[in-house]
Amino acid sequence: MSQKIYFTPGPTQLYFTVQDHLKAALKEDVMSISHRSKAFEKIFSETRENVSELLDLPSGYDIYFTSSANEIWERIVQNLVHNKSHHFVNGSFAQKFYNFALDYQKQSTATVPGNGKAFDDLSVPEDTELISVTLNETSIGYGFETQKIEKLRANHPDKLIAVDGVSAFPAVPFNFSLADTAYFSVQKSFGLPSGLGVWIVNEKCYAKADDLTKNGVITGSYHQLNTLRKSGIKNQTPETPNTLGIYLLGKVAKDMLFRSAKAIQNETTYKSTVLYQAIEKSSSMTPFILNKANRSKTVIVAQMEGSNSETLKALSEKGWIIGSGYGNYKSSHLRIANFPMHSKEVVEQLADTLSVW
Ligand SMILES: *Cc1c(COP(=O)(O)O)cnc(C)c1O
């Protein structure tokens, strides 16, 4: 591997053990075995078990594999929304999911405070079927407070709650009983090659999908929830899946379990504090999110005085690949991933450099 360290918010630096697991996968013919074989079923069930244990999923929550989080947005709209979803939009990723619902001509609604401001108003239209929350908005480094999800849960026991945890899990703690469906893709906090989405659902999601089907709604084809479920019971997938991706996820989840989710989460908090302090000290940048309670722990976003291009270039000459801003903020923000594979030591070195920038 190169000497570079990718602090980009996804794809990012691979988790420490990926190289060894890739070698083992080649030896074990993971890329050649049939997806209808016992060997595949074993990989599938082990990955499910390890991820479920790492995230501490309550019983009754099942895991399915897709190609990406984008795909899961579409599957949620198809399978879990008849007419209306409501979206708490704190940046571009949350906005995209909302747009998917509109693409499907749902009468969906959104709360959009804009520019990293907090959600003061948690109200939701009465006839909304599903509420969408982005736990960690990667585009601007906005963290949605757990207490607000608790409130939404308490106020709307009849509605489904969907949580986008793409750049949060497993580095940010989350009580999954607050959500009916949650999802992530693996190229962020897990430090794996892209091309795999992980979709978590509970019984209420199956019931909703059944209800839509009974009402004659088309819920998709090979990846409709019911099809995924039928295959999943056999530890299989409807299509020929990303077997290598599923294998690697299972292995890395196991490695993370060895460290423990709690240890990873505590280290994430520590490193994020170090990075925010450095940005506050620096004379050329400030944290973009002003409200401390909403500062992401895994994607640290700094607003630069001027353009970020010199800074990105200078840091890349040191071997540190930092993310540029997202969308409109492309040339004014730095986005620094703080994921489990970014060691305390390298984060401290980066922070030392930023603090005198
Ligand atoms: C990256 C990201 C996505 C999209 O993930 P894909 O794997 O590209 O589909 C969705 N939501 C958030 C918060 C993300 O960071």
Side-chain angles (χ1 to χ4, degrees), residues 88 122-126 128 131 150-161 180 204:
F88 285 93
L122 287 182
S123 65
V124 168
E126 201 37 59
T128 290
I131 300 169
E150 282 167 3
K151 243 183 224 163
L152 288 168
R153 191 61 154 175
N155 293 346
H156 305 284
D158 57 321
K159 304 188 196 327
L160 296 174
I161 293 187
D180 298 295
K204 271 166 79 185

Side-chain angles (χ1 to χ4, degrees), residues 68-70 73 93 134 136-138 164 166-167 185 187-188:
S68 65
N70 268 261
W73 285 333
F93 288 103
T134 304
N136 191 73
E137 175 51 71
T138 315
D164 178 336
V166 176
S167 53
S185 45
Q187 75 278 14
K188 313 246 165 125

Side-chain angles (χ1 to χ4, degrees), residues 165-181:
V166 176
S167 53
F169 306 148
V172 173
F174 182 66
N175 170 5
F176 281 79
S177 62
L178 294 176
D180 298 295
T181 180

